[in-house]
Amino acid sequence: MAAEIDTSSECNKLHPWTGASPQTEQGYYQQFDSLRKYIELCASEQLSFHAFPKIITDCQYTNTSDTTRYDRVREWCKSVLYLNTTEPDYFCADLGTIADTYLYGQWKIPNAALAIFEYLAQNPNCNSEGLQQVIKDNIRSRHDTYLTYKQFDSNAVEDTILPTMKQLGLDSLLALHGSASVPFSLPPTYLSSFTSIPNPFIDETNLRFTLNRLAYLTIAIYDELGRPVWGDGSGRTFEVGEHEISIDGKSLLIGSFYARIATGFGEVKTVKLVHVK
């Protein structure tokens, strides 16, 4: 008869590593191995999810010449996802670490991390101000990278397409996990409305738009020949909800113009403006 293994004492030994801050590469190695073992043996502990952020940090600072190490961490995270199916924080932290693995090393799926972060943001158990900031930072970083490439290649196009969970090989895993059972129904469009009031206008008009999802937007006004007459080409991130931007028309000539709003995900809406005396 096999002897029953008591993991409680082992968990107590390994748990302190969730709060350690190594100072050397060897320390990161040791913490990396200890925390993985801690998850494998002690995932059912209430606060075990705190190990995941440390694991991705340890991976970043060990064996730095091996760019495939993040792929191995990703597969390991998938394998331990079901060791704790009752604690939402465990699910959120594990899937968040999977997303983080796409931010480093080598990968072949653009926007993979952003897609997972967006997915997590639809789950009330996972969404937070911190996660929303991560999404904003990812969108801004992607746009900045695009602007850099644009300086050297005028034909460069910003890749705004998010892969699906199926394309990332996560759909079957998520479908079976209790903490992912919250309905995830992303709105089909980012911009649900875009209008100008008043229109026609004399001195000023207000561009009004409603966002279904957080997005990076650029807004500009063009004349009938397609020349920009308002806006500097830069953009910023807008939260979900209704927004209004005032346009001072005193500097515009009398006539027709087109206001254009574009999301960082490739969605565009245009409204015709009429400036009168």
Side-chain angles (χ1 to χ4, degrees):
M1 183 176 179
E4 183 178 347
I5 300 176
D6 179 15
T7 60
S8 59
S9 60
E10 190 71 13
C11 291
N12 288 335
K13 293 179 183 178
L14 295 169
H15 182 269
W17 280 106
T18 60
S21 298
Q23 301 299 316
T24 64
E25 184 175 5
Q26 183 59 37
Y28 282 112
Y29 267 118
Q30 187 173 0
Q31 179 171 263
F32 183 67
D33 292 338
S34 298
L35 289 182
R36 286 196 304 168
K37 185 176 181 181
Y38 172 65
I39 287 293
E40 291 166 1
L41 292 177
C42 321
S44 60
E45 287 198 347
Q46 186 177 10
L47 300 179
S48 62
F49 65 92
H50 286 298
F52 285 107
K54 290 285 188 179
I55 287 173
I56 197 66
T57 300
D58 296 337
C59 182
Q60 184 178 359
Y61 290 109
T62 57
N63 199 16
T64 55
S65 62
D66 180 9
T67 56
T68 65
R69 63 194 188 280
Y70 296 101
D71 299 321
R72 292 195 295 274
V73 171
R74 184 182 313 127
E75 294 307 311
W76 176 82
C77 285
K78 292 179 183 179
S79 73
V80 300
L81 188 60
Y82 302 106
L83 295 182
N84 185 332
T85 59
T86 61
E87 179 59 57
D89 285 332
Y90 182 93
F91 168 80
C92 301
D94 190 336
L95 195 58
T97 301
I98 291 175
D100 286 337
T101 63
Y102 284 103
L103 297 175
Y104 307 96
Q106 296 177 339
W107 64 92
K108 297 181 180 180
I109 306 179
N111 296 320
L114 182 57
I116 297 174
F117 291 140
E118 286 267 22
Y119 180 91
L120 285 172
Q122 304 308 309
N123 188 324
N125 293 320
C126 302
N127 195 21
S128 66
E129 290 185 9
L131 179 59
Q132 290 296 328
Q133 187 60 51
V134 167
I135 292 173
K136 292 179 184 178
D137 291 343
N138 271 259
I139 294 174
R140 185 180 300 109
S141 177
R142 183 189 64 192
H143 188 68
D144 289 343
T145 299
Y146 155 71
L147 292 178
T148 299
Y149 284 127
K150 190 74 172 178
Q151 294 177 4
F152 302 97
D153 181 4
S154 59
N155 295 320
V157 177
E158 184 173 1
D159 186 353
T160 60
I161 299 175
L162 298 183
T164 64
M165 295 300 104
K166 183 176 181 179
Q167 289 172 321
L168 296 176
L170 295 172
D171 57 329
S172 58
L173 291 174
L174 297 174
L176 297 174
H177 200 284
S179 295
S181 59
V182 177
F184 290 96
S185 54
L186 292 175
T189 60
Y190 288 81
L191 285 163
S192 60
S193 67
F194 182 42
T195 60
S196 175
I197 299 176
N199 191 19
F201 66 98
I202 299 176
D203 293 327
E204 182 181 81
T205 187
N206 299 303
L207 300 180
R208 296 179 179 177
F209 57 93
T210 302
L211 277 175
N212 296 321
R213 298 165 63 181
L214 178 146
Y216 186 92
L217 302 179
T218 55
I219 303 172
I221 297 176
Y222 301 87
D223 63 17
E224 291 188 296
L225 297 178
R227 296 172 299 196
V229 296
W230 183 92
D232 59 6
S234 61
R236 66 183 180 91
T237 301
F238 287 81
E239 302 283 352
V240 172
E242 297 180 354
H243 301 272
E244 182 173 300
I245 296 177
S246 296
I247 305 297
D248 184 357
K250 295 177 183 177
S251 61
L252 299 178
L253 298 176
I254 302 301
S256 297
F257 300 87
Y258 294 90
R260 179 180 183 272
I261 187 170
T263 73
F265 299 93
E267 188 176 331
V268 177
K269 284 186 180 297
T270 303
V271 63
K272 184 177 181 179
L273 307 178
V274 179
H275 187 206
V276 297
K277 292 183 178 179

